[in-house]
Amino acid sequence: MLPGFFTLTVGSLGMRGLTTLAGGHVIAGFTDPLKLVTIVTAIAVGLVTGAALAGRRDDAV
């Protein structure tokens, strides 16, 4: 489920930014890629933090 989430949210922002830039709206075109970088960073930091807090679980019997 996580790859689909990344593709839909982050990918759509990247495509919107590229489309806006291609349309000639330079200032508006850079806001979406900036949001893209911010969201990718926040999701990655959240995943790493969650993995670190959860710790390593060995349920091997």
Side-chain angles (χ1 to χ4, degrees):
M1 189 166 104
L2 192 60
F5 175 74
F6 270 108
T7 302
L8 291 174
T9 57
V10 180
S12 67
L13 278 173
M15 289 304 294
R16 272 185 14 191
L18 290 175
T19 304
T20 307
L21 282 172
H25 304 283
V26 178
I27 294 175
F30 280 111
T31 57
D32 285 333
L34 180 62
K35 288 179 188 177
L36 171 108
V37 171
T38 304
I39 290 174
V40 167
T41 304
I43 291 173
V45 168
L47 288 172
V48 169
T49 303
L53 290 176
R56 182 176 171 180
R57 293 181 51 148
D58 286 332
D59 293 332
V61 177

